[in-house]
Amino acid sequence: MILIKNALNLDGFRTSILIEGNKILKVQSDVAQELSPQATIIDASNMLAISGFFNAHTHAAMTIFRGYQDDLALQDWLNKIFKLEAAYVDETMVYWCSKLACLEMVSCGTTGFMDMYFFEDQVAKSALDVGLRVVIGEGLLSFQTPFCADFKEGLKKTFDLKEKYKDHPKAKVSFAPHSLYTVEKNDLELLSNTIDKNDFVQIHLAENLTEVNTVLSKFGQPPTFVLEEFGLLNSNTYLAHCVHLTDDEIELIQKRNAHVIHNPQSNMKLSSGISSVCKMIQKGVDVCLGTDGCASNNNLDMIEELRSAALLQKLFNPSYMNAKLAVRIAQNFGGFFDVALSEGKLADVVLIDLDAIEAIPLYNPASFLAYAANSKSVDTVIIDGKIIYKNKEFVDVDVQEVKFNVKKIAKKIGSL
């Protein structure tokens, strides 16, 4: 049992949070309950308590390529990254580099993430070893990848993963066709005819104009309508980027209850453009937030990401995305896990240091979190009722071991 006493919430009220097992038992101004001698009591008088962040789109193992290839547009960048992956991605690399990503995410207040890459069983293993919730998706492409000879093999291995994790409380499996420009029509048909209507699907969509024009040439219609044609657009579909959508596509996404994952920093870095996510939200589209991978961002800081999301929308209108909305989309678990800072929900709680220099003075907690806080503001992270990170240090993970192994792998690539 964990009792968090006298924390500030986003609305500016003092609250106490009682956690029992992996659930939040009580959230109220003062919890008057007899506690067992084994209970952990946290005095959060100088803390802001929030629900954990969900990084809805990333490629965790790409921490190994952080800073290796910068300052290119998407297609040129991808051509170089695909060659790097063919040369260096293997099971060992994915485990250690994903584990490094997990440490970075936790230290930034993230308690769950959705991943698309290769050797995804190792991504799940690294996430669960650290303590995070995870949604994995083996990258499905119509050509050979570091893990699979072709799309069909990748599909089979995804079904194997689905069977392995079918009853796991903290790990879920999605089908992850990379994009409409890297997957052929026959493979889209195979995917559509093979998966169940309740299966999760994640895909890159309308990331830049070159992609949109390629899809128009290849399929004769905009990207979202291609997914609709193949029966791959529904409430279990997660669309990453969505920078260049028509109004008709936004309307179709809303009609099918699909989810959009906004990646503002990656979109800027790869010169892809600015997504009109506030228009989507106003139309009733469910929007989540993601960092993308470290090769195109170059970090996994969701506090930075939500700030970028809020500030970019102010180029359209200063009030389109206020501080609370930016925080809310960063906390949107997309229906994967029932996480929230309320009674009966899964106990993912993050405590933010309000004694930090950047937190003084404090008038509006949401404004502080969106516009002034940073990853160093994160003091404590509780996931599934377990303290993973406390006083800005990991409780059970050997951080130096992870660093050592990633540096060892990076030396082969040419790190300094």
Side-chain angles (χ1 to χ4, degrees), residues 337-357:
F337 302 99
D338 193 20
V339 171
L341 200 63
S342 57
E343 294 177 3
K345 301 297 185 180
L346 292 168
D348 288 15
V349 181
V350 175
L351 299 179
I352 307 292
D353 182 9
L354 294 180
D355 199 36
I357 292 172

Side-chain angles (χ1 to χ4, degrees), residues 64-65 84-91 93-94 117-119 146:
I64 196 64
F65 303 131
L84 276 173
E85 289 173 336
Y88 296 109
V89 173
D90 60 23
E91 198 169 11
M93 169 267 184
V94 170
Y117 207 57
F118 313 113
F119 299 97

Side-chain angles (χ1 to χ4, degrees), residues 24-38:
I24 295 175
L25 187 62
K26 292 183 180 180
V27 179
Q28 52 195 53
S29 58
D30 185 32
V31 174
Q33 179 160 332
E34 187 174 332
L35 303 177
S36 71
Q38 290 77 34

Side-chain angles (χ1 to χ4, degrees), residues 50 53 107-109 299 301-307 350-353 356-359 367-379 389 392:
I50 63 169
F53 300 125
S107 71
C108 299
N299 64 36
D301 189 339
M302 286 290 285
I303 298 178
E304 254 191 36
E305 203 72 34
L306 72 89
R307 179 178 299 118
V350 175
L351 299 179
I352 307 292
D353 182 9
I357 292 172
E358 67 273 10
S367 173
F368 157 67
L369 188 57
Y371 302 130
N374 56 66
S375 60
K376 293 178 182 178
S377 305
V378 175
D379 180 271
Y389 187 73
K392 305 185 181 183

Side-chain angles (χ1 to χ4, degrees), residues 2 4 10 17-27 42 48-55 105-106 108-114 127-128 130-135 169-172 327 330-334 336-352 369 378 380-389:
I2 300 172
I4 300 169
L10 280 175
I17 304 159
L18 183 63
I19 297 170
E20 186 171 43
N22 70 338
K23 297 283 184 72
I24 295 175
L25 187 62
K26 292 183 180 180
V27 179
I42 299 174
L48 170 67
I50 63 169
S51 182
F53 300 125
F54 183 66
N55 190 342
M105 284 190 272
V106 169
C108 299
T110 296
T111 64
F113 68 104
M114 178 155 62
L128 296 172
V130 172
L132 283 95
R133 305 183 191 280
V134 65
V135 183
K170 291 171 66 178
K172 297 182 185 294
V327 174
Q331 295 172 321
N332 184 1
F333 273 72
F336 287 113
F337 302 99
D338 193 20
V339 171
L341 200 63
S342 57
E343 294 177 3
K345 301 297 185 180
L346 292 168
D348 288 15
V349 181
V350 175
L351 299 179
I352 307 292
L369 188 57
V378 175
T380 299
V381 178
I382 298 168
I383 306 176
D384 212 42
K386 181 180 179 183
I387 300 174
I388 305 296
Y389 187 73

